[in-house]
Amino acid sequence: MKKLMIIFMILYMISFVIAQTDWNIYYRLSLDYDTGEINISSVQIEISDIPENTPGDYRAKVMDYNDNLLNLTFFDVPNKILWDGINPETGEIDRGGELELNQTSFEIFIPYYENAKEIIIYNKNQAEIARRDISEYSKQRAAIQEKEANETERQKAKGNVNQIEEKITKYWWILLIILIILVIILIYSLRKKGNK
Amino acid sequence: MEKIKKNNLILMIVLLFICISFILAATSTQDSQKSPPTDFGKSIGLKEGELTGSGVKYSKGTLTFDEKDSDLNIKGSEFKNIKSQSEAKHPSYVKIDEKTGNIIGADFTTNEKGGTYNFGGTKFDVPPNSRVVYDKEGVQFPEKTNITKIEGIKKISGNNLNLPGGKTMSGTLSYKDGQAYVPKKSSAIINGIEIKSTDGDTNLFFDGSKHKGRYVSLGDKNMIFSADNEKELLLNFKEGNPYLKIDKGDSVIMQAAPNSNIAIENRDDLKKIPKVTVEGAFIIDEDSKSIERIKGDGGLYLSNYQKLSKSNVKTSTSPIELITTKGESWQRLFVDNFDRIAVVREGDEGFENIEGINTKFSARLDYNYPSIKNIEALTGKRIGAGLNFYETSKGQQDLILGRLRDYYPNLDSETKDKIKKINFADDNYFNKKFDRSYSTGAFANKDGTLTFRSNSRFSYPTFRHETSHLTQFSMEEKYKTEWKNIAGDIYGKNVKEDKDGSYIYKDDSSSEGAKYGCVRAYGCKNELEDGATFVEQISDDPEFFKNLINPNSKEYNPKYRQKIDFLYKYKFISDKEYNAVLSAAGVK
């Protein structure tokens, strides 16, 4: 519950700050590329001017809780680099070329949506290659989670009452025995007093 | 009931007494197992009590540590906390001169307690479980022995020994009439300075003052060394020496020529870099550069290779203010912490044009060791995010930070915006990660990442070359189309790859200069490298284009001017750079 309150407050504060400035909220995704495969190593929320992505045929889709498309971002894997070689004697660049790296790490930037549930990455052939749940950053999730939490607490309280009822039904005879013993002790002590 | 309780208490007390007695009895048995001290001196004519020991065997001047916890006393010098032979797994003994009772040899290993010993006048503390060997040649001390007094001994050797007076030593040091010296053809590292005594004995003093002959004199914050009349003396400065600041990756070697001396003063108190004053001829290797004054010559010579070290590994410099004197003439140089050298005649600061930039040289320590915070503020990139160092030493990192501080402000804001990340990587990382040859110096990536080697190959022309690739990427096809319209269909036609991968002109492989509208052969490879080599050349040497853009010159080729105008139009070069090229050529 506390966690939810904190998330709510952070989101509220962010919205307030954004409303006062021209900044944007966006997801910063760190991606690891390895011979055609992509792994999303981390997702962060940042507030600033959203940096541009390298244009390309890779796609990142942001989906909401009802599987609707919220955003489509195109990007490229920056694994093609220009390398330059330096002449050890003259110190001048006198050689070089283009190189395609099999592995590289890079980042992409996608606008933030408060009702986003997940990000799906597709390659140039439109085949899905990575997926990441981002619901922890969504307001909708926070609301759903709060509802769920309230429901759980209600169920818990109800459960406790039911448990006591169940126990009483199950162990009524023990209570009866205790009661009988108490009555016997009472009668015995009363008789003793009467005799005196 | 109470009686029973009382009886139990008495029983427990009795039992407790029995246990204590048992323990005490056991302890006294152990003590009594140690053999009583024997006076070995009597049998060889020494005074009573001059040579006593327990757990020790004596035979013909050799006292062997046979038992655990044995001890020995020779003329008041105690030898205890020494492992027995069986524990040490080597002959463990002290040898004496039977006539005098003086110690003439020893070989033993201390137990877990370590100990303090005395050979004649030489006193020392030996760490636990360490072996000491003493023979007629001298004493071989174990690592980290603390020697408190040296007397009556010919030679000491070992690693990381603490000498009397607080200096440290690794290697061998000889003594003659109380004077310490590094013998000929040997070397020793004293206080982080390797003294290579190749050509003669080198006397060692610990006062930092001037002496006569061939010597090294080490004070707390200053030192001086001098060669003799015939042979040079070479010192190699290591990390941890108190005179020059040597970070990991730095390399400084100094050689005093015959009849020359070099004095070094640590000026940390004044927040200044060390001052090195040389009288006579010398060679100083700083990183892969060399500063030299030849005997009988008043001039200073700078070389781009090491003269004293055979290693070609790129290292970094340690900053010094160098003053060389010869008679009444003198010269003053600053070697900064970024692998650059400049003449600064007066004051603590000076400027020199390095790689086309008016570069500041300063004697201030903090200028030579730029803080990461300052560079982050300058570039707007955080270390570990936009600014990354991979496997770089402290020396390399300082070099990069200092150069970046000088290079970055020369970029215009559009180019700065295009740089998303700058990486610096050590040679090993570069080769491993990218599988490229050693000569590969830099990469430019379409996502705005630039990667450079973290050594002196990171130069301003290289920086500008790579940043211009980012501007080309941002223009996409527009750049290629427009540039090609100026250059014509020349790419790949007039150049070829040489055996080492470098590009040369097909018709004249020896020519390295401008041709076919290109700045050099590599530029004629393709339109991207053509533009980048132009930017590099404009930033480094605007005079290069003097004849190429002047219509009155024989070398005039309109393509050069058109390309320069293109680069100016699309902000590859600044107003200042553009005007510098035109003004050098005397054109508008």
Side-chain angles (χ1 to χ4, degrees):
Chain A
M1 192 61 182
K2 260 187 185 174
K3 204 178 165 186
L4 284 172
M5 285 294 286
I6 291 166
I7 291 171
F8 257 139
M9 281 176 73
I10 290 169
L11 288 174
Y12 176 76
M13 280 166 71
I14 289 169
S15 313
F16 182 77
V17 172
I18 300 307
Q20 302 301 313
T21 62
D22 292 333
W23 290 345
N24 294 306
I25 314 181
Y26 60 89
Y27 303 102
R28 177 189 285 270
L29 271 74
S30 298
L31 308 178
D32 296 324
Y33 171 85
D34 188 350
T35 46
E37 298 295 319
I38 283 179
N39 175 46
I40 305 171
S41 58
S42 74
V43 179
Q44 285 174 305
I45 299 281
E46 289 192 359
I47 309 162
S48 174
D49 287 337
I50 180 163
E52 282 175 26
N53 293 302
T54 314
D57 297 329
Y58 284 80
R59 293 159 192 219
K61 282 183 181 176
V62 182
M63 310 300 288
D64 72 4
Y65 283 79
N66 300 317
D67 228 13
N68 295 321
L69 179 69
L70 294 172
N71 177 274
L72 179 62
T73 298
F74 287 87
F75 67 94
D76 201 8
V77 175
N79 63 329
K80 281 182 187 155
I81 56 167
L82 272 187
W83 69 273
D84 288 300
I86 299 170
N87 186 310
E89 283 168 21
T90 63
E92 278 183 343
I93 294 175
D94 66 353
R95 65 202 73 183
E98 200 172 9
L99 188 71
E100 194 167 328
L101 301 172
N102 288 329
Q103 294 171 330
T104 190
S105 296
F106 63 104
E107 288 168 338
I108 59 168
F109 312 95
I110 299 168
Y112 169 80
Y113 290 88
E114 57 185 35
N115 56 340
K117 186 177 179 288
E118 61 183 349
I119 289 177
I120 309 167
I121 307 281
Y122 297 88
N123 66 12
K124 287 177 179 176
N125 305 320
Q126 298 184 36
E128 183 186 321
I129 51 172
R131 184 183 282 255
R132 178 79 172 234
D133 187 333
I134 50 164
S135 59
E136 63 185 295
Y137 301 112
S138 82
K139 275 186 185 174
Q140 201 166 328
R141 184 190 170 182
I144 290 168
Q145 277 188 334
E146 192 197 20
K147 209 175 166 186
E148 282 174 0
N150 288 341
E151 184 61 24
T152 314
E153 268 180 27
R154 213 162 51 82
Q155 291 293 338
K156 223 176 178 179
K158 201 180 168 187
N160 285 342
V161 174
N162 288 344
Q163 252 182 350
I164 294 165
E165 278 175 7
E166 258 177 43
K167 277 182 183 169
I168 291 169
T169 323
K170 208 173 177 181
Y171 301 107
W172 62 269
W173 53 274
I174 295 175
L175 287 170
L176 186 69
I177 292 170
I178 292 168
L179 194 69
I180 292 167
I181 292 168
L182 283 171
V183 169
I184 293 169
I185 292 168
L186 187 70
I187 294 168
Y188 179 74
S189 58
L190 283 174
R191 273 191 183 173
K192 225 180 174 182
K193 259 190 178 176
N195 288 342
K196 274 183 182 175
Chain B
M1 191 70 173
E2 264 184 29
K3 204 177 177 183
I4 293 169
K5 269 187 182 174
K6 209 174 179 182
N7 284 344
N8 278 346
L9 191 69
I10 291 165
L11 192 68
M12 277 176 74
I13 290 167
V14 170
L15 275 168
L16 196 69
F17 270 105
I18 291 170
C19 284
I20 290 167
S21 312
F22 183 77
I23 291 163
L24 287 175
T27 319
S28 70
T29 311
Q30 270 185 355
D31 283 345
S32 66
Q33 275 173 354
K34 199 173 171 180
S35 44
T38 311
D39 195 331
F40 300 110
K42 280 182 190 170
S43 61
I44 55 170
L46 295 177
K47 285 179 191 167
E48 191 179 341
E50 275 195 330
L51 181 59
T52 60
S54 63
V56 177
K57 270 185 189 167
Y58 180 76
S59 171
K60 293 176 186 171
T62 304
L63 296 129
T64 315
F65 298 100
D66 258 14
E67 292 172 16
K68 194 181 175 184
D69 295 327
S70 53
D71 60 52
L72 185 63
N73 192 312
I74 304 171
K75 290 182 169 178
S77 298
E78 274 197 305
F79 290 86
K80 56 183 184 181
N81 299 336
I82 290 169
K83 285 182 178 176
S84 66
Q85 294 198 119
S86 58
E87 286 174 307
K89 295 186 171 61
H90 65 77
S92 189
Y93 61 87
V94 172
K95 224 175 216 176
I96 57 156
D97 179 339
E98 286 193 295
K99 287 176 189 166
T100 60
N102 292 339
I103 300 164
I104 54 169
D107 187 351
F108 59 81
T109 299
T110 55
N111 64 16
E112 70 286 348
K113 290 177 186 164
T116 300
Y117 308 99
N118 189 347
F119 290 158
T122 301
K123 286 182 184 169
F124 52 95
D125 307 319
V126 181
N129 303 310
S130 306
R131 186 175 177 180
V132 181
V133 181
Y134 173 30
D135 58 22
K136 59 182 178 184
E137 292 295 318
V139 188
Q140 169 76 45
F141 289 109
E143 193 163 0
K144 291 180 182 169
T145 296
N146 185 32
I147 305 168
T148 49
K149 193 180 170 194
I150 300 173
E151 198 179 288
I153 227 156
K154 282 183 188 172
K155 196 165 82 178
I156 60 165
S157 53
N159 285 322
N160 296 318
L161 307 179
N162 294 312
L163 299 178
K167 307 277 188 294
T168 58
M169 197 277 282
S170 292
T172 301
L173 207 56
S174 293
Y175 287 85
K176 195 177 177 185
D177 301 328
Q179 174 61 54
Y181 66 97
V182 182
K184 186 179 177 180
K185 288 183 180 172
S186 69
S187 67
I189 300 173
I190 316 235
N191 249 18
I193 300 165
E194 187 181 13
I195 302 167
K196 291 196 172 180
S197 218
T198 320
D199 299 309
D201 295 347
T202 305
N203 281 337
L204 197 63
F205 300 94
F206 296 101
D207 55 8
S209 304
K210 222 170 179 179
H211 293 269
K212 282 182 181 171
R214 181 188 180 85
Y215 70 91
V216 175
S217 177
L218 304 169
D220 289 338
K221 289 183 176 176
N222 76 304
M223 64 165 288
I224 183 164
F225 69 101
S226 173
D228 57 26
N229 298 339
E230 293 173 5
K231 298 286 181 185
E232 299 86 8
L233 176 58
L234 187 142
L235 304 191
N236 188 355
F237 291 79
K238 310 268 181 190
E239 274 181 78
N241 83 81
Y243 315 106
L244 299 178
K245 195 167 161 52
I246 305 287
D247 291 317
K248 202 170 184 186
D250 290 347
S251 167
V252 180
I253 305 171
M254 296 186 183
Q255 181 181 274
N259 292 319
S260 300
N261 67 65
I262 300 178
I264 304 171
E265 185 191 345
N266 176 310
R267 301 190 295 178
D268 282 356
D269 291 351
L270 303 169
K271 295 185 175 171
K272 286 184 183 179
I273 57 176
K275 184 174 168 183
V276 178
T277 310
V278 189
E279 283 178 23
F282 71 94
I283 301 174
I284 295 176
D285 273 5
E286 275 260 18
D287 171 41
S288 53
K289 288 183 172 60
S290 198
I291 311 163
E292 182 179 17
R293 166 172 272 165
I294 300 163
K295 197 181 170 186
D297 189 340
L300 277 180
Y301 298 90
L302 303 180
S303 312
N304 270 327
Y305 58 92
Q306 293 166 325
K307 291 208 159 184
L308 301 172
S309 167
K310 284 169 188 167
S311 152
N312 279 321
V313 176
K314 285 269 178 190
T315 54
S316 38
T317 47
S318 170
I320 56 167
E321 178 186 329
L322 174 65
I323 296 168
T324 70
T325 58
K326 188 176 182 284
E328 286 185 356
S329 71
W330 61 277
Q331 278 162 313
R332 189 165 175 253
L333 298 178
F334 278 8
V335 178
D336 72 7
N337 200 23
F338 322 118
D339 212 359
R340 303 178 297 206
I341 299 169
V343 174
V344 179
R345 290 290 296 177
E346 284 173 359
D348 282 343
E349 280 177 359
F351 288 86
E352 186 148 317
N353 191 307
I354 306 274
E355 301 169 325
I357 308 173
N358 196 25
T359 306
K360 184 170 155 182
F361 284 78
S362 174
R364 282 192 292 122
L365 260 183
D366 56 0
Y367 194 81
N368 282 276
Y369 294 90
S371 77
I372 285 172
K373 271 188 180 176
N374 288 347
I375 305 301
E376 285 181 334
L378 176 76
T379 59
K381 291 172 174 48
R382 275 183 296 120
I383 297 278
L387 202 56
N388 301 298
F389 289 93
Y390 298 106
E391 297 181 20
T392 49
S393 65
K394 170 78 170 67
Q396 288 175 323
Q397 191 167 317
D398 281 342
L399 183 149
I400 295 302
L401 293 177
R403 290 192 174 195
L404 199 57
R405 176 184 61 194
D406 294 336
Y407 300 165
Y408 204 80
N410 292 289
L411 300 177
D412 58 63
S413 57
E414 282 88 353
T415 310
K416 284 176 188 169
D417 286 346
K418 287 177 185 96
I419 303 173
K420 303 296 175 208
K421 214 183 255 184
I422 313 178
N423 299 329
F424 295 97
D426 177 60
D427 287 345
N428 291 334
Y429 178 90
F430 226 73
N431 296 340
K432 195 169 57 189
K433 177 95 177 168
F434 302 108
D435 191 28
R436 301 307 312 166
S437 65
Y438 182 73
S439 63
T440 306
F443 297 95
N445 199 320
K446 281 182 181 172
D447 68 350
T449 305
L450 299 176
T451 306
F452 300 92
R453 284 196 195 256
S454 53
N455 56 28
S456 54
R457 286 187 187 179
F458 175 57
S459 64
Y460 187 56
T462 307
F463 187 55
R464 291 299 300 273
H465 184 109
E466 299 309 319
T467 53
S468 65
H469 281 323
L470 297 188
T471 311
Q472 291 165 344
F473 294 152
S474 70
M475 291 176 70
E476 296 180 19
E477 286 308 307
K478 188 181 178 186
Y479 170 81
K480 287 189 179 179
T481 315
E482 286 194 31
W483 187 269
K484 238 176 173 176
N485 283 342
I486 301 170
D489 190 18
I490 58 155
Y491 296 114
K493 292 188 172 168
N494 304 307
V495 288
K496 62 178 182 181
E497 244 183 294
D498 204 6
K499 284 173 196 168
D500 63 356
S502 65
Y503 277 76
I504 52 171
Y505 291 115
K506 276 180 185 172
D507 56 356
D508 183 6
S509 60
S510 62
S511 168
E512 290 174 349
K515 227 173 180 182
Y516 306 112
C518 304
V519 159
R520 56 178 180 269
Y522 183 51
C524 278
K525 186 193 174 209
N526 60 37
E527 56 275 19
L528 295 178
E529 298 309 334
D530 195 10
T533 47
F534 258 78
V535 173
E536 195 189 312
Q537 200 67 47
I538 291 167
S539 67
D540 188 30
D541 180 17
E543 296 234 345
F544 178 88
F545 299 94
K546 201 162 98 179
N547 297 324
L548 301 169
I549 61 171
N550 189 334
N552 301 323
S553 164
K554 281 181 189 173
E555 293 164 46
Y556 174 71
N557 179 342
K559 288 186 190 304
Y560 286 98
R561 175 65 192 261
Q562 287 167 17
K563 286 180 180 178
I564 291 166
D565 287 344
F566 173 94
L567 294 171
Y568 178 58
K569 183 182 168 188
Y570 291 108
K571 296 193 171 175
F572 283 82
I573 56 172
S574 66
D575 291 355
K576 196 179 159 191
E577 286 168 332
Y578 181 67
N579 292 330
V581 173
L582 301 192
S583 122
V587 295
K588 284 185 179 177

